[in-house]
Structure formats: structure tokens, C-alpha cells
Amino acid sequence: MADDDAVVLTRVLAGDESAFGVLVRRYEPKLRAYVAGIVGLEEDARDVVQESFVKAWRHLGQYDRSFRFSTWLFRIAHNLAIDHLRRRRQTTSSLDLGEDSEGNEVRLDPADARRGPLGELANRELAAALAREIRRLPPAYKELIHLRHFVGLAYQEIAELKGLPLGTVKNKLFRAHNVLRSALGSYLGQLGGLT
Amino acid sequence: MTGQCEIVRRALEGEGELAEIGAHSKSCAVCRAHAKVLQLLAELEPGAPDPETLREIMTALPSAPWQRRRLATWLPLAAGLGFVVAGLGLLGGMPAAGAVALVPGAASSVFAYLAAWFLDALTAVRGTSHALEIAVVVQGAGLLLWLGVVAVSSGWAAIALARGPRRGTRS
């Protein structure tokens, strides 16, 4: 992916502005999920993401290629999202894990409220349980789960973004998955005799 | 959890490959559950962006600032302006007594010499010899040729200036 980005950036800097659309197409959904996790509101996230791409575009000539483009882009978006929050003076949780006791409405992906990724899961009860257990995770685990599964970042991208060693990211996510598996044991058992 | 379980689960998470994953998972319910959790989480990753959002972002991009000072933009302009200055010197519009002022005249002579040589060769082939007359005439033609070069270069510079920064296509 990083190599692909470098090739695309070379094209952009050589004058093929349409090639930037490849990067927008590649990172917009992830960036929106990431920003939505910070600002909370879908429409605000869209605005911040657009602002992020424009800012990246303006400063593309100063982009240091020793870093991944995705890392640079996510840092821009992070800073803009924080600025946006300051302007709005609004506090949000990093994840919108709203659910009701009936499991009728579960939103784990603030970036796409219409879709509601957990709502697409075949077993809504399992979806509700997964949302609940993710919410119960320690903050450090919850953030990594968010970055890995809701934003869709690779381990290496998470490591660079958070300034953590790659091994630490892998181990924390492994432990977080273990916690989720243990907590969801009974639900998973209903899906095909897992236990 | 056995040591084999940990190896299998890490393999499930993409840390290395293990041929025995399938066989082990058949006999280990916990590792099957781990695989199921990973599968559920993988379904949560964001999908493709909608085209309208992409269009809005692309149309919001300003002109590319990093292309404004490209050499390809400024080199023709600089070269053209250089010819203009030289042309002014040639026409006497630039009071320069040094070597620079001699450049246009020298260039004119070179053009004239080359043209005279070519026409001399041409007339020799045809069996007549008016090379000296031709050389005198062409000396003046060399001056005109030089002025033509200046005019073309000035036009080139003007076009480069009018086009502004080099722009690519953007969908």
C-alpha cells in the first residue's frame, strides 16, 4: 500500500492531478471513520475529512517521503479534528457504542450511521454483545480496536500513527481479541457449536 | 490455552502462516471462537466511499501550489526575456558598451555566414557563382533572422506567462 501511495504521489507531483483521486478514494472512508471517532458527528467528520485532503493537497510539496503518506494524512486529520472540537467546545467519546436493551439499534461506526456495521451482522444479539464488550475494554485496547477494525488501518499504520512499536500494537490487539472472545463465548457458541 | 493454541491464534491474526490452522481449529472450540471474533470484526471495516463525496473533495482542491515555481514554467519565460533584452541591445535600445552588446551582432554574423555558405554551395551546384553578392545580402537577412528569433521567443515567453502554472487534468 505504501509503495502504491508513493507511485501515485509521484504522478500527482508530476502534474497528474487526477491521480490524487486515487488517494482520496483509498483513504476517505478510513479517514472519515477515524475523524468521526474524534468529533462524534457524521457531518462534522465529512467536513473535517474534506479539509484534511485540501490541507494535504496544499502542502504536498513539503511532504516528507520518509513517512508513510497515510500516517501524514491521518496526523493532519487528527490535528484538524482536535481543532474542530476546540472550536465547538464539545466533548465526545471516541466510540459511539449506543445500544438499547433490546439490541434494536446499535451504532459502532459513527462514520456511517446509515449503514451501522454491526447492524449488518447476521446475529443482532451478537452484534449488541460485541458493541457492549468493546465498550468495556480498557481505553488503550478500545482505541486500538477502533483503529484496526472500524477505521481499517494496518498494524504498521497504527504503530506509526500512535508512535508505538509494531510488536506492542500486535500484542495489545491480540490480547484485546482474547478478551472479546472470552466475553462473547456464549454468543459465539450459539453460532455453530463453537463451545 | 496450549502453546499450539497461541501459535494458531497469532497465525489467525496474520502473524505468520501455519498449515495446521484448519486441523487444529476443528478440534479446538476456543480457537474457532477466536477466528469467529476476528471474522466479525473484519466485517466492520469501512467500505468504499460514495462518488458524491469524492467529487466534492476533488472539486474543493485549489490549484496545485507546488507547481507554481516549476522550472518548466519559468525556463521558457526566462529564456524569452533574455532574447528580448538581447534584441533591445541589437536595436540600440540598450546602452551597453561591453561585450554583451556585441552578442546580437555576432549572432547575426554567424547566421549570415551559415546562410551564405549554404546558398554558395547551392549556386555552385547550379553552375553560377554569386556567392559574394549573396553574402552581402544575407548579412542583412541575418539581422532579420535574429529579429525573428527575438519575436518568436517573446511570444513564447508571453504564452508561458499567460498559461500560468502547469495544470494537469482533474476528474
Side-chain angles (χ1 to χ4, degrees), chain A residues 13-15 17-18 24 28-29 46 50 57-58 118 121 126 149-151 155 171 177-178 181 188 193-194, chain B residues 10 13 29-30 32 34 36 38 40 43 45-47 49 53-54 60 62 65-67 70 166-170:
Chain A
L13 291 169
E17 297 181 6
S18 64
V24 175
E28 193 275 340
R46 283 180 186 276
Q50 179 168 318
W57 171 262
R58 284 185 196 280
L118 281 178
L121 295 182
L126 176 61
H149 299 295
F150 291 83
V151 179
Y155 287 121
N171 283 330
H177 293 151
N178 280 334
R181 186 201 67 243
L188 292 169
L194 290 171
Chain B
R10 286 195 180 274
E13 303 215 0
V30 181
R32 280 206 306 280
H34 197 88
K36 183 65 184 177
L38 294 177
L40 292 173
E43 292 174 17
E45 291 189 12
T53 302
L54 289 180
W66 65 88
Q67 290 183 354
R70 290 177 67 85
R166 194 159 70 92
R167 299 293 301 274
T169 56
R170 188 190 298 169

Side-chain angles (χ1 to χ4, degrees), chain B:
Chain B
M1 180 172 70
T2 65
Q4 180 71 1
C5 284
E6 170 143 4
I7 293 171
V8 167
R9 288 174 206 167
R10 286 195 180 274
L12 285 169
E13 303 215 0
E15 295 185 53
E17 294 181 3
L18 193 66
E20 299 83 19
I21 287 180
H24 176 86
S25 295
K26 282 182 182 174
S27 61
C28 179
V30 181
C31 286
R32 280 206 306 280
H34 197 88
K36 183 65 184 177
V37 167
L38 294 177
Q39 182 192 331
L40 292 173
L41 289 169
E43 292 174 17
L44 302 177
E45 291 189 12
D50 75 282
E52 180 62 19
T53 302
L54 289 180
R55 193 190 60 75
E56 285 176 8
I57 292 173
M58 292 304 289
T59 53
L61 300 179
S63 64
W66 65 88
Q67 290 183 354
R68 285 180 188 154
R69 294 179 185 82
R70 290 177 67 85
L71 189 62
T73 300
W74 288 102
L75 193 60
L77 182 61
L81 289 176
F83 279 120
V84 168
V85 170
L88 286 173
L90 175 68
L91 296 171
M94 189 172 68
V100 175
L102 301 176
V103 170
S108 173
S109 297
V110 169
F111 282 131
Y113 174 77
L114 290 174
W117 176 83
F118 173 75
L119 291 173
D120 192 24
L122 191 65
T123 52
V125 168
R126 288 183 173 183
T128 60
S129 180
H130 302 288
L132 186 61
E133 294 172 23
I134 290 171
V136 172
V137 172
V138 169
Q139 184 74 22
L143 178 62
L144 292 176
L145 186 60
W146 174 257
L147 290 174
V149 169
V150 170
V152 169
S153 303
S154 303
W156 184 19
I159 290 170
L161 190 61
R163 284 176 62 192
R166 194 159 70 92
R167 299 293 301 274
T169 56
R170 188 190 298 169
S171 61

